[in-house]
Amino acid sequence: MTVEKNVSLKSHNTFGIDAKATSYCNISTVEELKSILKKQHQNPFFILGGGSNMLLTKDIEALVLHINLKGIKVVNETDDKVVIQAMAGENWHDFVLWCLDKNYGGIENLSLIPGNVGTAPIQNIGAYGVELKDIFVSCEAINVENQTLRVFTKEDCQFDYRESVFKQKLKGKYIITSVNFELTKTNHNLHMDYGAIKEQLSASGVKKPTITDISEAVIAIRQSKLPDPKEIGNSGSFFKNPIVSKEKFEKLQENFPKVPFYKISEDSIKVPAGWLIEKAGFKGKRFNDYGVHNKQALVLVNYGSAKGKDIYNLALLIKKTIKRIFDIEIETEVNII
Ligand code: EPU
C-alpha cells in the first residue's frame, strides 16, 4: 500500500475533471482499509469509488482512499435463487455481465451503468423499471471512527428514489466494502414495462426475450441516448427527476399539455427533469468545453478540459431557469465536491 503525492484525479472520475489530490492511496484489502483508517481517521480523507457520480469543483486537500476491493462469489444457493457477494471495487457493468454469463436474473435492466458495486447502494442506482433495492439483500461497511464492520439489511439502508441512509444520516460515516444480491436462477421475472425496452426488442425481432436480450436492449438504448464517459466526460443524470404535488402538476399541465409524467401516489407526480431542461432551451447547448448533451438534456458533459466549477455554474443556471419558467425546484443527483 503506497501513498502517492499530488496525483491527478482525471482518470478517476467519469466527468474527466483534472482536479488534484494532495495524496492518493489504492486500497485492495479490507485489512488495508482498516489500518489506514485507524491512522488517518482524525485527518482529512476522501473516499473514491468508481468516480461516476461526482463533480470535482476543486482540488482534494486530503488523502484520497481509492476503494479497489475485488472479488465475486456465491454465498447461498437454492434450486431457484442465488445470493452473490460482490466486493465494493468491482466495476458495476462487469458484475452485471458476470451474472448474465451464469444466467442469474434480476440485474439485466441495470446494464451499462457506470461506477462500482460499492457505490451503487449509496444512491440506489436505477434504470428502466428496476432499482438496486429490488435485488439487494445486505451490505457490509466499515465504520470510519472505530473500524468495526457492520452488516446493513435492506431496511437499514432506507432506500428511496436515488437515496439511502448513506447519502443522509450516515453520510461519510461508513465505507461499503461488499454487497450481497439475490438473483433468480430460473423463472426470471422480466421487467419490460418501460416503453423503450419493448420498442428495442421488437426492432431487433426478439419475441421471447431472455435476460441477455433485455440486457442487450438496455445497452442499445443507453448507447443511443447517453454519452460514453470514455469519449465524453459525464456523470449520467446530473439532476434527479423532481416529484411535485398534484396541484402543481395540474398547473404545469395546463400550460404544457404534452408534459410527460409518472404518477408516484395520489398526490405526487414525477416529472422528467430532462424534459424541463429541453423545454427551457438548454438541450445540446455548448459553452467552450462543456455543455448539455444533445440526446439527453439531463446529462451535463465535459468535452475535454472543462473545469468542474464551470459545469457547476451551468447547473446553477439551469436550476434557476427551471424555477423561473416552471416554478419547480430540481436537485442535483451528482455529488458536488
Ligand atoms: N425527455 C425529454 N428530453 C430529454 C430527455 C428526456 O423530453 O432531453 C423526456 C423523454 O422524452 C421521456 C422522459 O423525459 O418522455 C423520460 O426520459 P428517459 O426515459 O430518458 O428517462 P429520464 O427520466 O430522463 C431516468 C433516470 C436515468 C435512467 C432512465 C431510464 C433519473 C434522474 N434518471 O432518466 O438514469 O437511465 O430514467 O430508466 O432518474 C442516471 O441516473 O444516471 C440515469 C441515466
Side-chain angles (χ1 to χ4, degrees), residues 52-53 109 113-114 123 125-130 161-162 194 196 221-222 225-226 234-241 258-262 270-279 283 292-299 333-334:
S52 63
N53 200 37
N109 293 49
I113 296 183
Q123 56 147 348
I125 58 169
Y128 306 105
V130 174
Y161 166 59
R162 296 296 193 273
Y194 212 89
I221 302 164
R222 290 189 76 98
K225 282 193 186 176
L226 299 166
N234 76 91
S235 256
S237 304
F238 196 91
F239 300 97
K240 289 197 246 182
N241 287 332
K258 285 194 179 149
V259 56
F261 64 94
Y262 324 94
K270 197 190 260 183
V271 181
W275 184 88
L276 299 170
I277 298 168
E278 178 171 347
K279 274 276 159 218
K283 192 170 183 171
V292 179
H293 190 51
N294 59 359
K295 297 195 188 108
Q296 164 56 289
L298 202 47
V299 178
E333 187 201 294
V334 168

Side-chain angles (χ1 to χ4, degrees), residues 6-69:
N6 200 26
V7 173
S8 166
L9 296 173
K10 191 171 166 73
S11 64
H12 293 298
N13 70 101
T14 59
F15 245 125
I17 302 293
D18 192 10
K20 301 256 181 320
T22 313
S23 48
Y24 169 93
C25 181
N26 193 43
I27 305 285
S28 47
T29 68
V30 173
E31 286 318 309
E32 278 179 2
L33 178 61
K34 283 185 180 172
S35 99
I36 205 149
L37 283 174
K38 202 167 189 172
K39 280 189 234 144
Q40 188 69 24
H41 81 274
Q42 306 284 27
N43 300 315
F45 65 90
F46 178 89
I47 301 299
L48 177 68
S52 63
N53 200 37
M54 63 182 198
L55 176 66
L56 293 166
T57 61
K58 53 179 189 281
D59 289 340
I60 310 262
E61 286 172 12
L63 170 63
V64 170
L65 302 177
H66 188 192
I67 307 300
N68 222 348
L69 308 168

Side-chain angles (χ1 to χ4, degrees), residues 74 77 82 84 98-99 102-106 183-185 188 211:
V74 170
E77 196 166 4
V82 61
I84 302 160
W98 185 93
C99 296
K102 306 263 184 304
N103 195 35
Y104 296 154
L183 300 175
T184 48
K185 287 167 70 178
H188 302 306
I211 52 175

Side-chain angles (χ1 to χ4, degrees), residues 20 65 69-70 142 145 147 155 177 294 296 325 331:
K20 301 256 181 320
L65 302 177
L69 308 168
K70 299 282 188 197
I142 303 273
E145 285 282 319
Q147 299 86 50
E155 215 172 45
T177 53
N294 59 359
Q296 164 56 289
I325 303 177
E331 278 175 43

